[in-house]
Amino acid sequence: MRSAGQKGAVAAGHRLTAEAAASVLREGGNAADAAIAALAMACLCEPVLCSPGGGGFAMVRDAATGQIELIDFFPHTPLQRVIEGDNGVYEILADFGTATQAFHIGPATTATPGFFAGVKAIHGHGSGVALADLFAPTIDAARNGIIVTPYQYYLSTVVQPILLATPDAARLFALGGELIKTGETFCNPGLADALGIMARDGFAASEVGAEILAGQRGRGHLSEDDLSNYQTFSRQPHTVEIAGAQVHLNPLPAASGVLIGLGINELGGISGGEFAEALRQTDLARREAGNNLAALIGRPVRQRGTTHVSVIDAAGNACAVTVSNGEGNGELAGPFGFMPNNILGEEDVNPYRTANWPQNTRLASMMCPAIIDAGDGGLIALGSGGSNRIRSAMLQVIARLTTGGMTLADAIAAPRLHVENGHLDFEDLFDDETGQELAAAFTDHRRWPEQNMFFGGVHATAMDSSGRFSGDGDRRRDGVSIVVE
């Protein structure tokens, strides 16, 4: 029996993002409607992570049929390489405090955006609410302003070189030359205009698309054909079983689902050492396979800027959406208050480097929105931001939920680790014995003194077999969850 009065649950990376989705559920909208409202608000509240100039993936469950579909609306490489070499590309360093990471920005790092096409595809899943109405709360908030949170300010300091890369960007994200601080008001009327135009005229042939192309001329690769020919893809999930649950993951050409599935197969338990060994084996397999990730599917069972929204409604429709703008290419799309993506500058998804990427291709993203069918009628929708740490964050949370029997809150709050090229990063919050074992197993390691956004941000919602809802937003990325009564 469904619990009387509960209309669903949502988890996201900002309170206003979650509230936008919750309001839609409260007013009778479904999970797809709520996810769209949340994505629009994330463009305002999480502009480093979500933008009309980016793209992503949505894992959608249709309650009427039980069918689960992956919608691929990730940015697509341009049809032709126009700029030679590394012209139009600049390197910056993002500072996480304990570590730094190099990113590349500039007009020539922009791939064809898929955000609006993805919104339209999600909207096709039984939505009965017009896009203009779903965008309206964000349009109002963008004009009236939002109060900058401590996490928003921290994130802006991490990627400060991008936000201040051009005078137009600096005028939007900084006041008097300094980043807008915690407690101050951030307004973005240009984004409000963009959302209104897209709701009315679409993206590719609108003024918004025209401004993106204007910023590319002579300095980037995108053309009118790139925008007009962009298409979303519907894919069957990559499904693996763990402890009787069916876990539906992002399939190829995305790398994430295959690697998480391999990690699940390699996993012997949920201790810190067992996670580290599973991630070591997964990392080795990834490097051995190179670009032939399909080879990993047949292996036997062993004996950067992303954000996520999860929604489940009372009918059992679910939508888990992970989106990315890279970190933004450093330049605004004309007057419209957002940056196009810098996906071609993201080495995690473009190992070919900025001057040698394959044309007209979907790159292998690490993003992995997921839906877990618990086998008893329960559902979990989850996903994470976190660049190449997504696969490790998702593996650890999925295993703790299914094998470890943890609650959402405990599985998400538990300390995390990540293995990359033989190097171990771990939150030094395990017990002393585990911490010593990890350090001894990986002489090349780095201890993080507290939870950090470096290790992703898993936002999840759940509906149990009786129809009761729960949710949890990862504190590492200021996550928020709401159960809608």
Side-chain angles (χ1 to χ4, degrees), residues 104-445:
H104 296 87
I105 64 172
T109 65
T110 299
T112 310
F115 179 89
F116 186 75
V119 165
K120 291 283 287 183
I122 296 169
H123 195 250
H125 279 263
S127 174
V129 184
L131 286 180
D133 293 330
L134 295 174
F135 289 173
T138 301
I139 291 173
D140 290 343
R143 296 197 190 285
N144 294 323
I146 63 172
I147 302 302
V148 173
T149 67
Y151 175 73
Q152 282 178 299
Y153 176 64
Y154 165 69
L155 181 57
S156 69
T157 64
V158 171
V159 295
Q160 177 172 321
I162 298 176
L163 300 183
L164 305 183
T166 59
D168 286 345
R171 277 191 289 272
L172 177 62
F173 295 110
L175 296 173
E178 295 187 4
L179 294 171
I180 301 174
K181 294 182 172 58
T182 301
E184 295 180 342
T185 301
F186 172 61
C187 295
N188 193 344
L191 177 64
D193 292 340
L195 290 172
I197 290 169
M198 288 189 294
R200 185 186 68 234
D201 301 331
F203 177 76
S206 72
E207 297 170 57
V208 179
E211 287 293 348
I212 288 179
L213 293 179
Q216 289 279 297
R217 291 191 185 107
R219 304 184 303 146
H221 304 280
L222 295 185
S223 68
E224 185 176 337
D225 286 343
D226 286 297
L227 298 191
S228 62
N229 289 325
Y230 182 89
Q231 59 181 315
T232 62
F233 294 105
S234 173
R235 306 189 195 279
Q236 289 298 306
H238 176 60
T239 300
V240 297
E241 184 171 331
I242 178 172
Q246 296 288 317
V247 183
H248 304 284
L249 303 164
N250 197 355
L252 293 172
S256 51
V258 173
L259 293 172
I260 293 168
L262 177 60
I264 287 172
N265 289 341
E266 295 282 353
L267 195 60
I270 61 168
S271 71
E274 287 165 320
F275 277 131
E277 181 58 26
L279 289 169
R280 186 209 300 264
Q281 294 299 326
T282 303
D283 188 53
L284 287 172
R286 175 194 179 195
R287 294 181 186 284
E288 289 171 4
N291 296 324
N292 185 25
L293 291 169
L296 299 181
I297 296 176
R299 287 173 61 96
V301 176
R302 212 180 86 172
Q303 319 107 286
R304 212 178 189 279
T306 43
T307 192
H308 181 81
V309 173
S310 291
V311 187
I312 304 176
D313 65 28
N317 299 297
C319 191
V321 193
T322 310
V323 290
S324 176
N325 200 40
E327 297 74 34
N329 73 359
E331 301 195 359
L332 297 185
F336 289 126
F338 69 87
M339 289 183 183
N341 68 81
N342 67 323
I343 293 297
L344 297 181
E346 286 274 306
E347 292 184 11
D348 296 334
V349 295
N350 178 24
Y352 308 96
R353 313 291 292 185
T354 53
N356 193 34
W357 37 265
Q359 299 171 109
N360 193 23
T361 300
R362 280 291 208 279
L363 295 171
S365 170
M366 280 294 171
M367 292 192 285
C368 194
I371 291 176
I372 301 175
D373 181 346
D376 60 358
L379 291 173
I380 302 172
L382 72 164
S384 178
S387 190
N388 58 341
R389 276 84 63 190
I390 290 173
R391 60 185 171 87
S392 54
M394 289 289 287
L395 170 64
Q396 289 164 84
V397 172
I398 289 169
R400 284 166 172 152
L401 287 170
T402 53
T403 303
M406 290 186 178
T407 64
L408 286 183
D410 288 344
I412 290 171
R416 294 207 191 121
L417 49 83
H418 178 73
V419 176
E420 189 80 19
N421 199 21
H423 169 82
L424 170 69
D425 282 285
F426 69 99
E427 293 174 334
D428 200 9
L429 302 172
F430 295 92
D431 61 77
D432 290 342
E433 182 179 355
T434 299
Q436 292 170 6
E437 289 176 354
L438 289 171
F442 292 82
T443 55
D444 181 11
H445 68 268

Side-chain angles (χ1 to χ4, degrees), residues 39-89:
L39 290 176
M41 190 64 75
C43 289
L44 173 64
C45 299
E46 306 172 67
V48 174
L49 309 173
C50 182
S51 160
F57 301 89
M59 193 73 76
V60 182
R61 180 183 189 270
D62 185 327
T65 64
Q67 294 298 305
I68 296 176
E69 170 193 356
L70 187 283
I71 301 172
D72 177 345
F73 59 101
F74 195 60
H76 197 78
T77 64
L79 298 174
Q80 293 186 330
R81 192 177 295 107
V82 176
I83 306 299
E84 295 300 324
D86 283 331
N87 293 328
V89 178

